[in-house]
Amino acid sequence: MHPQGDPLALARVVGDVINPFARTVSIRVAYNSKDTVTSGREFKPSAVANRPRVEVGGCDLRTFYTLVMVDPDAPSPSHPNLREYLHWLVTDIPATTDATFGQELVCYESPRPATGIHRFVFVLFQQLGRETVYTPEWRQNFSTRRFAEQYNLGSPVAAVYFNCQRESGSGGRKIVL
């Protein structure tokens, strides 16, 4: 895909979170088995409250992957001073399986954006081997790039993101009759 038409580039996921990369492995992220994440799709927080099913492609079960889920817009898109906020980290995912076969190092935290539209980004990396990636010390101010560098993960092999904002997007008060 040309960079101009790449939704990850258009949404500044490439730039804010990751460098340009060539997608080499398929990834399918789905909430409630039917709601597949496609880059730019909007989800309400209630729809993404429970961790998604993430199916990883590849062709060799001896190849392992790391999945990172971050919010580069925390706590708000206009002041993202917690960028990136780590929502989920799963390592040692065998190729051709889903993330439940991996090791959940940082448990899934439901997206609950307070203000503005937040991007929630899933980035998949190929590991050099099993048990070569470890738990970061905290969730806020996580850096996908530094993390990849620290564990020799190289460039991402796949990425996808969705947008999310508060349920009551109007900001008006509810009137109870």
Side-chain angles (χ1 to χ4, degrees), residues 24-27 55-65 93-97 124 126 157-158:
T24 56
V25 173
S26 64
I27 182 175
E55 294 166 358
V56 173
C59 51
D60 187 344
L61 279 164
R62 293 166 299 182
T63 304
F64 295 92
Y65 296 94
I93 305 166
T96 76
T97 66
L124 189 70
Q126 185 172 325
V157 293

Side-chain angles (χ1 to χ4, degrees), residues 86 89 105-106 134-139 142 147 151:
L86 180 63
L89 175 63
L105 297 188
V106 176
Y134 301 98
T135 311
E137 292 178 30
W138 47 77
R139 289 178 185 256
F142 179 82
F147 180 77
Y151 295 109

Side-chain angles (χ1 to χ4, degrees), residues 20-87:
F21 72 99
R23 181 183 177 133
T24 56
V25 173
S26 64
I27 182 175
R28 181 177 180 270
V29 180
Y31 285 92
N32 307 320
S33 75
K34 62 186 186 306
D35 293 327
T36 302
V37 173
T38 53
S39 286
R41 183 169 177 186
E42 185 141 341
F43 284 90
K44 293 189 180 322
S46 57
V48 294
N50 299 317
R51 76 179 189 196
R53 180 177 170 93
V54 179
E55 294 166 358
V56 173
C59 51
D60 187 344
L61 279 164
R62 293 166 299 182
T63 304
F64 295 92
Y65 296 94
T66 291
L67 177 73
V68 172
M69 179 188 176
V70 295
D71 174 1
D73 301 313
S76 74
S78 53
H79 300 288
N81 58 359
L82 296 180
R83 171 181 294 173
E84 300 154 30
Y85 189 85
L86 180 63
H87 275 265

